[in-house]
Amino acid sequence: MNPLVLSLLILSLGLGTTITFLGSHWLLIWMGLEINTMAIIPLMIYQQHPRAVEATTKYFLTQATASALLLFAGTTNAWMTGQWNITDLLYPTSATLITLALALKIGLAPVHFWLPEVIQGLNLTTGLILSTWQKLAPFAILLQLYPLLNPNILITMGISSIIVGGWGGLNQTQLRKILAYSSIAHLGWMITIIHFAPNLALLNLIIYIIMTTSMFLIFNLLNSMKINSISISTTKAPLLSIMALMILLSLGGLPPLSGFMPKWLILQELTKQDLFIPATIMALGTLLSLFFYLRLCYTMTLTFSPAPIFSFSSWQTKITQTNTLTVISTSMSLLLLPLTPTLLMLLQ
């Protein structure tokens, strides 16, 4: 792609997200989300592959539906209350419609069906943008609206997402689909706690973005798309394989890694709110996700691809390029747990 066009698209992505961050008027927020959607579509369809075209079409139709629903909800609220400000969401039907529209935007269950199919049709770099950056604008809206939304709907969507994310990833062989279901499960944790402790939801979002960025970058360096292709990664890049193993365990929420921190704090907060049953279901639902993370760990570090010893194959070449972003994100994915009090203080 032309560097000028690429720069323009990336700047448009940043502009759309910034407008949504700063906006307090429904039309301005809707405009920021639309700029965000339109900026990523050329990046998705750039490959000119049938799967990429299919993924782009699905993404466009889904986001257009969510944007129309969001605009309809904002207009209905303005009609009933006379206010276009985002914090004047007083009409219950509009609040429910906005919750549904934002859930469709980010891929929460039960409106999650588009996310695994879309990410599967993209390359790893565009999939990374879709899994991380495109979540920021809808979450900025949710963080402004959380006192006005129905907590029962949020908890139901969150628990459904955790179960669907764990269950859906069990039988997958494509790494991009596994990461998509992992994304759905992590979004479930964020949306469940957002009404009671928005700072924990924000902390979970930051940790999720760091860990997901690390995994996408490592799979990109290894040039791996399927589970059977990562079985040769130990030979190809031993240190990178060990780092990937640790990040997968961090995604599963095992101590003493960074991924344990948000799950621990969220379960603690739910217990304080006397929500013992949702907390128990969420903790058990995480075991489903942990199973396919451990499956990836086993494939990556404890299996070897059958090949003659004296053959020269492309996978035997060593990775020599260094990536600063990969190093930083990997370090943060593993070592943030001791900084929990500091992070909580910064996010108050």
Side-chain angles (χ1 to χ4, degrees):
M1 185 178 285
N2 189 317
L4 185 61
V5 175
L6 182 62
S7 303
L8 183 63
L9 292 174
I10 292 173
L11 285 173
S12 299
L13 273 175
L15 176 65
T17 306
T18 307
I19 289 174
T20 309
F21 279 1
L22 301 178
S24 59
H25 194 283
W26 275 116
L27 284 178
L28 195 63
I29 287 169
W30 173 80
M31 190 188 307
L33 291 172
E34 285 299 295
I35 292 172
N36 229 356
T37 303
M38 292 302 166
I40 199 173
I41 282 175
L43 296 174
M44 295 170 69
I45 208 169
Y46 173 67
Q47 294 178 66
Q48 296 295 325
H49 189 274
R51 289 302 298 268
V53 174
E54 179 189 346
T56 307
T57 306
K58 288 177 180 176
Y59 181 75
F60 173 75
L61 293 174
T62 306
Q63 298 300 307
T65 305
S67 295
L69 196 58
L70 189 74
L71 188 59
F72 174 72
T75 307
T76 306
N77 185 69
W79 184 20
M80 299 300 292
T81 63
Q83 297 292 330
W84 279 98
N85 198 299
I86 188 172
T87 54
D88 294 325
L89 190 64
L90 305 175
Y91 190 52
T93 307
S94 294
T96 305
L97 287 175
I98 283 166
T99 306
L100 185 61
L102 293 174
L104 187 58
K105 276 274 181 191
I106 58 179
L108 279 173
V111 285
H112 66 283
F113 297 100
W114 63 272
L115 185 60
E117 298 298 326
V118 168
I119 290 184
Q120 174 60 29
L122 306 176
N123 61 25
L124 287 167
T125 307
T126 316
L128 169 61
I129 297 172
L130 191 64
S131 300
T132 54
W133 185 265
Q134 293 298 91
K135 302 285 189 282
L136 294 178
F139 254 93
I141 303 172
L142 285 169
L143 285 169
Q144 293 182 68
L145 292 179
Y146 75 89
L148 310 172
L149 301 179
N150 188 335
N152 295 325
I153 295 176
L154 295 177
I155 290 173
T156 305
M157 281 186 167
I159 293 175
S160 303
S161 299
I162 292 168
I163 294 172
V164 166
W167 201 269
L170 287 180
N171 203 30
Q172 299 296 331
T173 58
Q174 300 284 339
L175 295 177
R176 287 165 293 179
K177 274 196 175 180
I178 289 175
L179 289 172
Y181 281 110
S182 168
S183 172
I184 293 169
H186 279 89
L187 290 171
W189 282 86
M190 299 173 216
I191 209 72
T192 303
I193 199 62
I194 195 168
H195 184 81
F196 307 102
N199 59 324
L200 292 185
L202 183 58
L203 175 66
N204 199 348
L205 178 64
I206 292 169
I207 300 290
Y208 156 77
I209 287 175
I210 292 170
M211 293 189 296
T212 306
T213 302
S214 303
M215 282 316 305
F216 269 101
L217 290 174
I218 286 176
F219 287 151
N220 196 29
L221 283 173
L222 295 172
N223 197 21
S224 299
M225 297 287 188
K226 298 180 181 178
I227 284 187
N228 59 5
S229 66
I230 62 172
S231 60
I232 57 175
S233 61
T234 307
T235 311
K236 192 175 181 181
L239 184 59
L240 212 54
S241 299
I242 295 170
M243 290 294 103
L245 166 69
M246 300 295 286
I247 296 166
L248 286 167
L249 296 177
S250 183
L251 278 167
L254 293 183
L257 305 170
S258 301
F260 173 67
M261 179 208 313
K263 289 182 171 60
W264 167 42
L265 294 171
I266 288 171
L267 290 176
Q268 187 180 29
E269 182 64 30
L270 288 174
T271 307
K272 288 179 183 176
Q273 300 289 339
D274 294 330
L275 296 169
F276 300 109
I277 294 175
T280 305
I281 295 172
M282 289 166 67
L284 293 174
T286 308
L287 296 176
L288 293 169
S289 300
L290 183 60
F291 176 81
F292 63 76
Y293 294 136
L294 290 174
R295 182 172 163 226
L296 285 177
C297 293
Y298 173 77
T299 308
M300 181 172 281
T301 56
L302 298 175
T303 60
F304 292 96
S305 181
I309 297 174
F310 299 106
S311 65
F312 292 94
S313 303
S314 60
W315 56 265
Q316 288 179 315
T317 56
K318 303 295 181 184
I319 295 177
T320 55
Q321 58 180 342
T322 55
N323 191 322
T324 307
L325 181 59
T326 308
V327 173
I328 294 171
S329 60
T330 301
S331 303
M332 294 176 72
S333 298
L334 304 178
L335 303 173
L336 284 181
L337 186 63
L339 300 177
T340 303
T342 307
L343 293 172
L344 287 175
M345 185 180 67
L346 291 174
L347 293 173
Q348 287 295 339

